[in-house]
């Protein structure tokens, strides 16, 4: 019989509820427990695929092609486990399926209500995921904070599951924040007390309170929370902001969260975070550093490139270096001299993106990397920028472009496939999720992966246009990864350059702290070989026309 852990948030959002959830997953998995994690998001969008990065940060994509909340990325990285589409549930999905069923007449004349119809559907989705995963424990994180209007049916669903299940089968973890009042030099527990009162008013008494703070949390504060919130003393777990998110499982285990959860849920297994601890030690004690630029449209908003940032960190762990990221606005790459913006960087990443703003700046970044021999990794749109750049400046196709940005171009080197041309719905209509990619023997890509076939995750509409394949190949741009039938170019790489490679997919989505993605690992290796502050102008590798 599986066990259920429900994680809710109190006081404010953005205090690391997702990291706490992922960390608890890691703690249990390291103790030999089979774990799965599910995110329950109360918003009405069916998925975050249609939301702006300003609203929602990065859209994470599962292997089976769901566009999900970025917390799924944390869960996969901490668990080192792929999660299915069902691991991401939104109110939008729940309403959608209930209303579809109502239209079909499935409810036989009944009145459709939040309770029991929405709650039943939500319960069905929670039980379905834990069953399919054959997990001992499912951790369900509820997005937002307790008290949000749209989250009420989620809290009610949790209450019902707790009521249905035997007492030792469920656990409620409430993650709150302790504000620090400078004038009094004191951490305050009152907002936590209020938030727990709110949770109780909906029928849930928390078993564990994780008290987040930017300051040291003295034991008296924890005792006060325990007393006023009616939680066992050792179940109030202080969690100060850590140096790195990967340290959080170690801190929580050290503070007794693992022991408490195991005992309460009647699970058996000893702590096993030694390997994880070693990984964190390497991360915190780098032997050197490397400077890379990430050229994007939303660089002021780090969450938009969360998985890219994490993948760089993982590659740094593998090489024992600290990866310093210079976040470069792609519009700056248009308005200013690229050399002044990118001076001294040892590697350049152009990540994925949509929309025209900053597009020419991304092409300028690719040109700078090519002409100056700076290692370059293009991720989806970043590969498309690299292809357009070579077409324009090496093949001499001056107006080469992607039809996403110039539908009238005479040289559409990036274009839509027929099946994408008639798509009108925005949601869920891209090439999404895992597709196989065959690697060309002897290529940089094949050498990096060390195998000849890989599965990688996609999220895009536009593709490399095969009409230009030979011409680009003659210019040194090789299709080193293709779909198994050879019809789709999945990886392009430039011959005679230390490392210039673009992927139509998003390798960053599959990188794990203990298993860095091979392309990121080799990109960082190339960046390290370039050496710090190396002036680039002298070693131009391909002559521009
Ligand atoms: N906008 C481009 C496309 O749809 C690239 C998408 C991306 O970078 N994920 O093909």
């Amino acid at each position: 019989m599986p066990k259920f852990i429900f994680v809710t948030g109190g006081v404010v959002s953005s205090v690391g509820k997702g990291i706490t959830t992922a960390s608890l997953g890691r703690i249990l998995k390291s103790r030999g427990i089979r774990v799965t994690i599910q995110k329950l998001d109360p918003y009405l969008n069916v998925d975050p695929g249609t939301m702006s990065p300003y609203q929602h940060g990065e859209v994470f994509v599962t292997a089976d092609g769901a566009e999900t909340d970025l917390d799924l990325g944390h869960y996969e990285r901490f668990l080192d486990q792929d999660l299915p589409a069902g691991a991401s549930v939104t109110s939008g999905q729940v309403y959608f399926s209930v209303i579809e069923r109502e239209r079909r007449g499935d409810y036989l004349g009944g009145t459709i209500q939040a309770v029991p119809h929405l709650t039943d559907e939500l319960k069905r989705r929670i039980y379905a995921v834990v069953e399919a995963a054959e997990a001992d424990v499912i951790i369900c994180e509820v997005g937002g904070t307790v008290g949000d209007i749209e989250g009420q049916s989620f809290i009610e669903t949790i209450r019902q599951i707790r009521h249905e299940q035997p007492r030792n089968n469920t656990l409620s973890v409430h993650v709150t924040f302790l504000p620090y009042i400078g004038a009094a030099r004191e951490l305050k527990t009152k907002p936590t007390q209020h938030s727990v009162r709110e949770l109780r008013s909906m029928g849930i008494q928390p078993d564990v309170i994780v008290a987040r703070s930017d300051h040291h949390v003295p034991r008296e504060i924890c005792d006060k929370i325990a007393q006023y919130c009616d939680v066992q003393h050792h179940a109030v777990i202080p969690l100060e902001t850590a140096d790195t998110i990967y340290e959080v499982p170690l801190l929580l285990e050290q503070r007794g969260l693992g022991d408490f959860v195991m005992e309460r849920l009647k699970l058996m297994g000893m702590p096993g975070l030694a390997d994880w601890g070693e990984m964190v030690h390497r991360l915190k004690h780098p032997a050197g550093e490397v400077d890379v630029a990430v050229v994007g449209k939303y660089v002021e908003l780090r969450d938009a490139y969360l998985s890219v940032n994490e993948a760089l960190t993982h590659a740094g762990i593998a090489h024992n270096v600290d990866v310093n990221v210079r976040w470069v606005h792609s519009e700056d790459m248009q308005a200013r001299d690229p050399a002044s913006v990118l001076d001294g960087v040892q590697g350049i990443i152009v990540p994925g993106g949509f929309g025209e703003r900053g597009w020419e700046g991304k092409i300028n970044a690719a040109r700078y990397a090519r002409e100056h021999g700076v290692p370059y990794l293009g991720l989806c749109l970043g590969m498309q920028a690299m292809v357009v750049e070579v077409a324009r400046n090496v093949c001499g196709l001056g107006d080469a472009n992607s039809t996403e940005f110039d539908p009238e171009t005479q040289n559409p080197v990036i274009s839509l496939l027929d099946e994408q041309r008639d798509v009108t719905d925005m949601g869920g209509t891209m090439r999404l999720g895992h597709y196989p990619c065959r690697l060309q023997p002897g290529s940089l890509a094949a050498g990096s992966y060390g195998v000849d076939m890989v599965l990688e995750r996609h999220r895009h509409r536009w593709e490399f246009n095969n009409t230009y394949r030979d011409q680009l190949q003659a210019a040194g741009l090789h299709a080193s990864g293709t779909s198994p039938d050879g019809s789709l170019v999945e990886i392009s790489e430039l011959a005679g350059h230390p490392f210039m490679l673009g992927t139509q997919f998003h390798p960053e989505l599959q990188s794990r702290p203990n298993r860095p993605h091979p392309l990121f690992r080799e990109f960082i290796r190339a960046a390290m070989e370039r050496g710090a502050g190396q002036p680039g102008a002298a070693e131009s590798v391909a002559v521009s026309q």
Side-chain angles (χ1 to χ4, degrees):
M1 217 181 185
K3 317 267 177 172
F4 300 80
I5 300 176
F6 299 105
V7 181
T8 51
V11 184
V12 284
S13 60
S14 307
V15 294
K17 181 157 49 77
I19 300 294
T20 305
T21 304
S23 298
L24 179 53
R26 176 78 253 170
I27 287 173
L28 296 178
K29 186 168 177 177
S30 298
R31 286 172 176 254
I33 309 295
R34 287 172 304 177
V35 186
T36 191
I37 311 186
Q38 189 177 38
K39 178 80 192 273
L40 309 175
D41 270 313
Y43 53 71
L44 287 173
N45 301 62
V46 170
D47 61 46
T50 53
M51 278 191 227
S52 150
Y54 286 115
Q55 297 275 317
H56 202 268
E58 156 185 286
V59 174
F60 192 77
V61 183
T62 57
D64 55 1
E67 298 174 272
T68 74
D69 186 78
L70 50 74
D71 275 327
L72 272 273
H74 289 311
Y75 305 163
E76 288 203 353
R77 288 186 281 269
F78 279 67
L79 285 182
D80 190 13
Q81 193 172 301
D82 285 3
L83 293 173
S88 172
V89 177
T90 66
S91 285
Q93 289 167 20
V94 172
Y95 277 87
F96 201 63
S97 50
V98 167
I99 290 170
E100 255 179 355
R101 233 175 284 152
E102 184 275 334
R103 291 290 84 183
R104 276 203 309 264
D106 290 5
Y107 294 109
L108 305 175
T111 305
I112 313 308
Q113 293 175 298
V115 184
H117 299 99
L118 294 181
T119 47
D120 280 354
E121 174 61 19
L122 204 45
K123 261 193 280 186
R124 192 188 64 73
R125 286 170 184 253
I126 295 171
Y127 285 123
V129 161
V130 66
E131 229 162 78
E134 295 180 5
D136 303 315
V137 173
I138 180 167
I139 310 178
C140 299
E141 178 192 346
V142 182
T145 43
V146 164
D148 295 347
I149 289 177
E150 64 267 37
Q152 284 182 357
S153 46
F154 288 63
I155 304 292
E156 168 59 13
T157 303
I158 294 173
R159 191 198 61 75
Q160 290 184 17
I161 293 179
R162 275 165 76 79
H163 179 74
E164 283 165 18
Q165 293 286 321
R167 200 169 139 52
N168 286 326
N169 266 22
T170 74
L171 188 90
S172 158
V173 178
H174 194 51
V175 181
T176 73
F177 181 71
L178 307 178
Y180 181 78
I181 307 299
R185 297 192 185 177
E186 239 186 298
L187 285 172
K188 291 294 185 186
T189 65
K190 189 72 90 191
T192 296
Q193 297 176 41
H194 281 298
S195 153
V196 168
R197 185 190 300 166
E198 182 91 37
L199 192 57
R200 282 163 148 184
S201 76
M202 292 185 276
I204 296 174
Q205 164 64 43
D207 301 296
V208 174
I209 293 177
V210 175
R212 283 278 297 113
S213 173
D214 291 330
H215 299 264
H216 171 66
V217 183
R219 195 61 240 176
E220 311 87 79
I221 292 280
C222 295
D223 289 344
K224 191 168 167 186
I225 294 172
Q227 186 178 14
Y228 289 134
C229 299
D230 205 11
V231 169
Q232 281 176 270
H233 284 265
H234 59 297
V236 178
I237 313 281
L239 183 59
E240 293 93 359
T241 304
D243 292 342
T244 146
I245 54 172
Y246 297 112
E247 204 174 355
V248 175
L250 303 174
L251 294 172
L252 291 175
E253 180 71 277
Q254 194 189 24
R255 288 168 189 187
L257 181 63
D259 286 340
F260 183 84
V261 171
M262 296 292 285
E263 196 205 298
R264 260 292 267 103
L265 293 179
K266 302 272 175 273
L267 296 165
M268 305 285 277
M270 296 300 283
L273 286 171
D275 289 354
W276 193 268
E278 214 167 283
M279 180 271 288
V280 171
H281 183 82
R282 280 169 72 86
L283 174 57
K284 290 179 76 174
H285 299 91
E289 53 185 354
V290 60
D291 295 324
V292 302
V294 174
V295 181
K297 190 164 72 164
Y298 298 105
V299 289
E300 67 282 9
L301 197 92
R302 297 298 147 71
D303 272 1
Y305 304 109
L306 183 63
S307 291
V308 174
N309 193 42
E310 294 311 309
L312 284 170
T313 301
H314 307 161
I317 297 173
H319 294 293
N320 220 7
V321 291
D322 195 10
V323 179
N324 302 320
V325 179
R326 187 184 302 176
W327 297 95
V328 174
H329 216 290
S330 44
E331 280 169 307
D332 281 350
M333 292 295 302
Q334 275 165 242
R336 293 171 53 195
D337 173 19
S340 69
V341 182
L342 296 173
D343 187 41
V345 299
Q346 293 161 265
I348 298 171
I349 287 191
V350 175
F354 297 81
E356 195 174 3
R357 185 161 66 85
W359 168 236
E360 290 297 327
K362 294 174 187 177
I363 296 171
N364 290 345
R367 179 172 190 167
Y368 181 86
R370 179 177 58 79
E371 293 185 341
H372 297 86
V374 182
Y376 176 93
L377 181 59
L379 309 170
C380 204
L381 189 65
M383 168 185 129
Q384 298 174 355
M386 168 181 158
V387 171
V388 168
E389 194 280 315
V390 171
R392 284 186 191 173
N393 302 317
V394 183
C395 301
L397 306 173
D399 80 329
N401 214 329
S402 162
T403 56
E404 180 177 2
F405 310 116
D406 180 5
E408 307 304 328
T409 175
Q410 295 303 300
N411 289 292
V413 290
I414 304 293
S415 61
L416 286 176
L417 293 180
D418 286 343
E419 59 257 41
Q420 283 287 352
R421 267 183 245 282
D422 304 324
V423 169
T424 49
D425 269 6
M426 293 303 279
T429 52
M430 285 184 259
R431 178 144 83 102
L432 286 167
H434 262 175
Y435 283 85
C437 170
R438 195 183 57 208
L439 305 169
Q440 192 189 69
S443 63
L444 176 61
S448 302
Y449 281 104
V451 292
D452 49 21
M453 188 78 100
V454 290
L455 280 171
E456 288 284 3
R457 298 187 196 176
H458 291 248
R459 180 172 184 256
H460 57 100
R461 287 203 172 81
W462 274 265
E463 305 274 354
F464 186 108
N465 182 347
N466 285 322
T467 317
Y468 293 89
R469 203 138 139 188
D470 291 344
Q471 206 174 345
L472 286 160
Q473 163 104 10
L477 194 65
H478 298 277
S480 57
T482 62
S483 53
D485 67 357
S487 67
L488 294 169
V489 174
E490 308 283 43
I491 307 178
S492 287
E493 63 184 59
L494 189 68
H497 187 285
F499 188 107
M500 185 137 193
L501 183 147
T503 61
Q504 190 58 84
F505 48 82
H506 289 278
E508 70 274 18
L509 300 177
Q510 297 205 92
S511 185
R512 308 273 163 86
N514 45 356
R515 271 189 314 130
H517 192 284
L519 295 179
F520 275 85
R521 192 192 62 223
E522 293 312 301
F523 166 72
I524 290 297
R525 185 195 305 281
M528 287 164 69
E529 281 165 6
R530 182 173 171 78
Q534 190 174 326
E539 0 96 61
S540 189
V541 289
V543 182
S544 299
Q545 291 188 349

